[in-house]
């Protein structure tokens, strides 16, 4: 399976159980338009993350492993930050303010040490799908790839997982909270609060205890809880 337009540019496949769903989507008109847009953007600008990393969240967390979904908006738009997963940054990058606050809440909630970098891939490998609503962005221009098709794809992912049931959806901030309408609340568990951004963190994020609440639900339905400690290494 390849994803391409008439351009020579291609979008790398995921390589696991997500490919069937992706294959269904790439044959829809919106996806062809999305690829044309990405190719045009890449001809003029730098886009993040690199093409080979766009689907990292899906590579880390195959469908059958998904226990938790943390919904973000779009990738970080600075060099050497975005790594294809919501809130996660490359190990060499400075930890962004929102992620600093996530780590503070993690420490407060579960008394865990604060990591020295922002790579969240360990969470992904345990079943935490770090899903941005938009999977690419132009260098230096936040939200620049909104409204060009990614939302159709990621909304489809949320609805698909919702139907499977038994999943924790973590919705931080007003943008993420809008995704609640896509979720079957009778079959899944939704955790909502304000965004961890410094501008809104004191309006309900601090003290919301999303990590312990997640593990409480997973234990309740007979699933192995997430080990949220990022300082242990792989």
């Amino acid at each position: 399976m390849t994803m391409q337009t008439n351009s020579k540019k291609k979008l790398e496949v995921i390589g696991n159980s997500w490919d069937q769903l992706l294959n269904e989507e790439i044959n829809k008109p919106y996806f062809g338009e999305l690829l044309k847009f990405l190719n045009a953007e890449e001809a003029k600008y730098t886009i993040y993350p690199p093409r080979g990393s766009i689907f990292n969240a899906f590579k880390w967390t195959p469908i059958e492993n998904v226990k938790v979904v943390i919904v973000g908006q779009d990738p970080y738009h600075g060099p050497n930050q975005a790594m294809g997963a919501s809130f996660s940054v490359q190990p060499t990058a400075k930890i962004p303010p929102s992620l600093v606050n996530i780590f503070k809440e993690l420490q407060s909630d579960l008394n865990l040490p604060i990591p020295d970098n922002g790579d969240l891939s360990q969470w992904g490998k345990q079943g935490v799908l770090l899903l941005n609503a938009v999977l690419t962005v132009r260098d230096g221009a936040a939200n620049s790839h909104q409204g060009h098709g990614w939302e159709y794809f990621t909304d489809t992912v949320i609805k698909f997982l919702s139907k499977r049931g038994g999943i924790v959806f973590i919705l931080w901030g007003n943008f993420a909270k809008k995704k609640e309408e896509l979720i079957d609340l009778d079959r899944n568990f939704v955790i909502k609060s304000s965004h961890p951004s410094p501008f809104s963190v004191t309006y309900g994020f601090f003290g919301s205890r999303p990590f312990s609440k997640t593990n409480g639900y997973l234990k309740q339905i007979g699933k192995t809880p997430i080990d949220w400690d990022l300082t242990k290494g792989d």
Side-chain angles (χ1 to χ4, degrees), residues 6-233:
N6 292 330
S7 166
K8 294 181 181 180
K9 295 285 188 179
K10 298 179 181 179
L11 203 57
E12 186 176 287
V13 298
I14 297 169
N16 60 25
S17 50
W18 283 111
D19 280 334
Q20 182 175 350
L21 181 67
L22 183 58
N23 195 39
E24 294 173 5
E25 294 302 299
I26 66 173
N27 292 312
K28 296 179 180 178
Y30 85 85
F31 214 103
E33 292 303 311
L34 169 61
L35 289 177
K36 290 178 183 177
F37 167 76
L38 289 178
N39 290 337
E41 282 283 284
E42 212 169 39
K44 296 180 180 180
Y45 311 104
T46 298
I47 66 171
Y48 302 125
R51 288 229 176 185
S53 299
I54 288 173
F55 292 119
N56 270 351
F58 299 91
K59 293 175 183 178
W60 298 342
T61 319
I63 291 169
E64 62 274 14
N65 293 351
V66 177
K67 301 176 183 177
V68 183
V69 180
I70 299 180
V71 178
Q73 193 159 352
D74 70 338
Y76 297 108
H77 55 272
N80 303 312
Q81 288 184 301
M83 57 187 303
S86 63
F87 296 100
S88 186
V89 291
Q90 298 183 39
T92 55
K94 181 180 179 181
I95 302 176
S98 291
L99 188 52
V100 168
N101 288 332
I102 289 171
F103 288 162
K104 287 179 179 178
E105 179 61 20
L106 180 64
Q107 183 181 54
S108 173
D109 187 1
L110 297 176
N111 196 31
L112 293 177
I114 292 179
D116 61 6
N117 70 81
D119 180 354
L120 306 183
S121 58
Q122 287 185 55
W123 290 356
K125 293 170 185 176
Q126 292 186 73
V128 181
L129 181 65
L130 300 162
L131 180 67
N132 274 321
V134 176
L135 301 188
T136 56
V137 71
R138 186 191 304 168
D139 175 39
N143 305 321
S144 52
H145 286 188
Q146 285 191 4
H148 291 279
W150 279 127
E151 294 92 338
Y152 291 114
F153 173 64
T154 55
D155 281 0
T156 298
V157 168
I158 292 173
K159 289 184 282 190
F160 174 83
L161 292 172
S162 171
K163 289 179 181 178
R164 288 175 65 87
I167 292 174
V168 181
F169 289 87
I170 299 178
L171 310 178
W172 289 328
N174 291 333
F175 177 87
K177 288 176 185 177
K178 292 177 183 177
K179 302 299 182 181
E180 185 175 16
E181 65 186 29
L182 306 174
I183 301 167
D184 185 340
L185 302 181
D186 293 327
R187 303 182 64 192
N188 302 279
F189 183 51
V190 172
I191 296 173
K192 298 183 292 184
S193 76
S194 65
H195 196 276
S197 161
F199 300 106
S200 57
V201 70
T202 58
Y203 294 98
F205 179 79
F206 282 150
S208 61
R209 306 193 66 191
F211 308 102
S212 60
K213 288 177 181 177
T214 292
N215 281 352
Y217 175 78
L218 293 176
K219 290 177 183 177
Q220 179 183 325
I221 63 172
K223 292 185 177 181
T224 303
I226 305 299
D227 183 352
W228 296 103
D229 189 349
L230 292 168
T231 66
K232 291 180 177 180

